[in-house]
Amino acid sequence: MAEPKTYTLDAPGAILHYDVRSNDSSTEPVLLIVGSPMGADGFTTLAGHFTDRTVVTYDPRSSGRSKRTDGATQTTPDEHADDLHLLISALDSGPVDIFASSGGAVNALALVAKHPEQVRTLVAHEPPASQELPDREAVLAACVDIRETYYRSGFGPAMAKFIAIVSHEGPFPDGYADQPGPDAAMFGLPTEDDGSRDDPLVGHNIITCNAYRHDFDALRKAPTRIVIGVGAKSGQQLAGRAGAAVAGRLGIAPVTFPGDHGGFLGGEYGQTGEPDAFAATLREVLADG
């Protein structure tokens, strides 16, 4: 596969960094692979399975190399969608295919609602669209508590609470956010507060991503082919349940992908899913379009 070439893009309040792995002989649309807050580094393995087409990855604003320049402390899916719109416009390649995971799936759905002409096929893998869950109030209260914990006590305690909610099976009971969080040391997380407050997960995106209300009327009317993916091993965890709920709102059946929420990972961040099988499923889904 071609070595990635890095480019920058000026956006309101941020400088975005993106990487292009070119295949000039391909007749397929550009494959844009996005996450949030996960950046380009999380998709190296997955990108390597698509050498037959041009692949673009990027760091969303407030993550990795794409620093905010306006001092804002929260980032919204609508901002991310506007960034994706600018990025696709800068590629000047026509409509793209998108694989979007987690918060990236929320952002890509927001993009399609606004600019469906830019996307041929969107594969949205486990969007944590918590507004679509019957236990939304308990989930969103837990997200608020995570951010408050971050500002009060730092990254370790907040991240421990985040791990607890994403691994929780089934609906969240009322009052879940009032429970004490797990010990950060149990997960190998720092127990000392380093004073930083710019984390893209538990700071910038945790509330805005989960609380986002999708425009399902626009999504249903869009010419874009939308596929919702859920992990075979996600069980009744938050992102899997939310993905199934989004599929239901769109009137489509979700597609099961190998592994769990990080099924595409091939050692990035010390995590390994089922990347070969995951990529094969993604290829089949894209080919069906």
Side-chain angles (χ1 to χ4, degrees):
M1 190 173 201
E3 287 296 315
K5 293 184 179 179
T6 299
Y7 301 86
T8 60
L9 181 63
D10 288 335
I15 299 176
L16 306 176
H17 288 65
Y18 64 99
D19 304 313
V20 179
R21 296 168 171 83
S22 296
N23 184 329
D24 294 333
S25 64
S26 175
T27 59
E28 294 291 332
V30 167
L31 175 60
L32 176 58
I33 300 178
V34 302
S36 180
M38 183 179 286
D41 287 348
F43 297 106
T44 302
T45 299
L46 185 59
H49 283 274
F50 291 89
T51 58
D52 56 329
R53 61 198 296 175
T54 294
V55 177
V56 177
T57 55
Y58 94 124
D59 292 348
R61 71 167 58 210
S62 74
S63 295
R65 301 162 295 175
S66 297
K67 305 300 184 185
R68 294 203 69 130
T69 57
D70 58 4
T73 59
Q74 290 200 89
T75 304
T76 70
D78 284 325
E79 286 179 300
H80 286 301
D82 290 344
D83 290 344
L84 290 169
H85 169 60
L86 289 176
L87 173 54
I88 296 169
S89 298
L91 294 175
D92 195 25
S93 63
V96 302
D97 288 342
I98 298 180
F99 170 77
S101 182
S102 193
V106 170
N107 303 337
L109 286 164
L111 166 71
V112 169
K114 294 182 175 184
H115 301 285
E117 75 284 352
Q118 288 192 306
V119 187
R120 185 185 74 161
T121 296
L122 166 61
V123 182
H125 179 247
E126 297 205 345
S130 299
Q131 285 283 9
E132 305 313 313
L133 297 175
D135 51 325
R136 65 181 67 83
E137 291 185 7
V139 176
L140 296 178
C143 292
V144 170
D145 177 60
I146 287 171
R147 192 169 192 267
E148 290 178 348
T149 298
Y150 178 53
Y151 273 87
R152 181 175 62 249
S153 304
F155 174 77
M159 191 64 184
K161 287 185 174 181
F162 174 78
I163 293 172
I165 72 163
V166 298
S167 58
H168 180 84
E169 293 280 346
F172 286 72
D174 293 340
Y176 177 90
D178 299 327
Q179 302 174 8
D183 184 357
M186 289 173 52
F187 303 106
L189 294 166
T191 56
E192 297 295 325
D193 184 358
D194 66 3
S196 64
R197 293 295 184 270
D198 58 355
D199 186 78
L201 174 56
V202 295
H204 277 264
N205 293 285
I206 186 66
I207 296 175
T208 54
C209 177
N210 281 271
Y212 189 73
R213 293 184 180 276
H214 288 285
D215 186 345
F216 286 101
D217 286 340
L219 291 171
R220 283 188 290 265
K221 293 175 183 175
T224 302
R225 174 175 171 249
I226 300 174
V227 177
I228 304 298
V230 296
K233 295 182 179 178
S234 294
Q236 288 297 303
Q237 293 173 357
L238 175 60
R241 290 196 299 124
V246 169
R249 290 293 305 273
L250 293 173
I252 59 178
V255 173
T256 300
F257 277 75
D260 56 15
H261 194 61
F264 52 86
L265 293 170
E268 294 90 345
Y269 312 116
Q271 301 177 51
T272 301
E274 300 178 31
D276 294 346
F278 192 102
T281 299
L282 177 56
R283 183 175 291 279
E284 291 173 3
V285 169
L286 291 173
D288 287 343

